[in-house]
Amino acid sequence: MSPLESAAAVDPLSAAKPAIDSASPGSRSAAMEPSSSLPPTHTQRRWRRGTGCEADGNGNADSAGCSASPSFAFCWRPEGGDPPSAGALLTAVRGASDRARPPVSRYNVGAVGVGLSGRVYCGLNLEFLGAPMSSTVHAEQFLCATMAIHGERGLVDLAVTAPPCGHCRQFLMELPDAKAVRVHIHRLSKVDRHDDAAALVRHRTEAEALRLTLGDLLPHAFGPADLLPSPAYFLTHADEALRLELEEQSKEVERIAAEADILTADRDNAGMAVGEALGRVAVLARRAAYVPYSNCGAGVALLGRSGNRHRVAWGYSVECAAYNPTLPPLQFALIHWVQGGGGDYTDITRAVVAEPSTDGVTYSRITNDTLAAITRGGCETSIIGAGG
């Protein structure tokens, strides 16, 4: 069990007991009564349309911040081991969307998925002021990255607040057996966005009839098999030993950074030790990258503070056969930062980019520019080439 799973105080599915069971895809759900156990409102709801923005724009809050609530987990295993119903997933979607950070669109998106392991994962959308719109993280991408962080090998069910956009449908085709993934769509109505709980429940009940597969949503798909003679797929490509090594090395960086805080006589050497250790995380992340189309893997390692402790978040490039929906390594690392309990982006103080020194695919410049925007220039970024 991962630290995130064990740290969760509440299982979002067990906290919201829907009065339905949609085990039969063709059955009509019974009416669901309004319940006080709907996911709670958090400060992240400030992005909803019609509400005032209480932060500086990039999720850097003036007070409460945007970190995950102690009662919310981005990865958990349902109580009893039984697979969650579609209704339970759709209820959990609201809790995920409440934590989105969309300062540009102010449109919250949530995604909840069930992996082959039976564990449940959450995703949400991230937008960044001062950066190109293409730097946006879609909720489905957030979900897939969270699955990779926890060593998941495949996706079985996906519940979303609205029909996945074309970008996400294409990105999801990188998953193993993608066309068979069951998709449960929760359409948000106008009244839902004004937080009328009773209307939300009624609307969700109607939306449960919207059950499709990813193959239905993208019937004539372009995917890995169109470009690769022996297709590789995201999640199944992963080396579990490498993932565990990344976790251990991240803990080592956090330990070294904590010791560096204590050292006052030799801060320069202490800072170098932190930078070298963080660089090793970035190199490991580069090795874990999913890059079957360019073979130009890139990794990013971030170091910052979460409360009184140091936190490391890593990420790597996840390519897509259509190229544009590719998830860059910084965006993956920011997903890791958010789902691991990270708060303001201004808490991120150091970053290392590891990528090949080639004229091919490169992420170093856009990573540096995006970090400068979202950290208000407070992040020191370094680059490690192919020899690093």
Side-chain angles (χ1 to χ4, degrees), residues 168-188:
C168 291
R169 298 180 197 194
Q170 184 65 63
F171 182 82
L172 290 168
M173 290 306 299
E174 298 300 318
L175 298 176
D177 203 17
K179 289 187 176 182
V181 173
R182 295 185 291 265
V183 183
H184 312 272
I185 300 172
H186 169 347
R187 292 180 181 272
L188 286 177

Side-chain angles (χ1 to χ4, degrees), residues 91-378:
T91 298
V93 161
R94 181 60 179 264
S97 67
D98 282 346
R99 290 158 180 81
R101 303 185 185 186
V104 179
S105 68
R106 302 188 179 228
Y107 183 80
N108 292 43
V109 182
V112 175
V114 180
L116 288 172
S117 67
R119 287 182 295 184
V120 181
Y121 305 87
C122 289
L124 47 88
N125 58 321
L126 304 175
E127 298 169 357
F128 310 101
L129 292 181
M133 291 184 72
S134 58
S135 65
T136 295
V137 173
H138 295 237
E140 293 87 340
Q141 291 178 308
F142 192 119
L143 170 70
C144 290
T146 300
M147 293 171 68
I149 289 167
H150 290 275
E152 184 58 65
R153 307 293 287 182
L155 180 64
V156 177
D157 282 276
L158 171 67
V160 286
T161 52
C165 69
H167 179 105
C168 291
R169 298 180 197 194
Q170 184 65 63
F171 182 82
L172 290 168
M173 290 306 299
E174 298 300 318
L175 298 176
D177 203 17
K179 289 187 176 182
V181 173
R182 295 185 291 265
V183 183
H184 312 272
I185 300 172
H186 169 347
R187 292 180 181 272
L188 286 177
S189 67
K190 291 181 180 179
V191 71
D192 292 340
R193 295 182 185 132
H194 286 85
D195 305 323
D196 184 321
L200 168 67
V201 174
R202 288 197 302 272
H203 196 77
R204 183 187 291 119
T205 302
E206 296 170 7
E208 284 184 317
L210 295 173
R211 302 188 198 102
L212 306 164
T213 66
L214 186 57
D216 294 328
L217 292 172
L218 197 61
H220 304 290
F222 178 83
D226 292 289
L227 294 180
L228 305 172
S230 299
Y233 293 94
F234 183 47
L235 298 182
T236 58
H237 86 290
D239 182 334
E240 179 64 6
L242 180 57
R243 185 186 71 85
L244 294 175
E245 188 177 356
L246 267 166
E247 289 188 355
E248 289 303 313
Q249 186 60 41
S250 296
K251 294 176 184 176
E252 179 67 8
V253 175
E254 292 169 357
R255 183 191 66 78
I256 295 173
E259 290 181 353
D261 284 346
I262 301 172
L263 298 173
T264 57
D266 196 5
R267 285 193 178 277
D268 289 342
N269 285 336
M272 288 178 60
V274 172
E276 290 173 359
L278 191 63
R280 289 193 288 272
V281 174
V283 170
L284 287 172
R286 180 180 67 191
R287 288 172 50 195
Y290 173 73
V291 288
Y293 309 111
S294 73
N295 292 316
C296 294
V300 167
L302 306 175
L303 176 65
R305 283 188 176 273
S306 180
N308 294 322
R309 62 178 290 263
H310 292 279
R311 278 206 63 249
V312 171
W314 47 262
Y316 51 75
S317 44
V318 179
E319 293 185 342
C320 176
Y323 284 27
N324 283 48
T326 291
L327 182 67
L330 173 61
Q331 275 68 11
F332 192 128
L334 291 171
I335 291 169
H336 200 176
W337 174 261
V338 172
Q339 66 99 54
D344 298 352
Y345 301 134
T346 52
D347 292 334
I348 300 170
T349 56
R350 300 190 72 161
V352 178
V353 184
E355 64 179 7
S357 298
T358 69
D359 294 329
V361 178
T362 179
Y363 296 95
S364 54
R365 181 176 296 178
I366 189 63
T367 297
N368 185 67
D369 291 347
T370 302
L371 281 171
I374 67 176
T375 68
R376 305 176 191 163

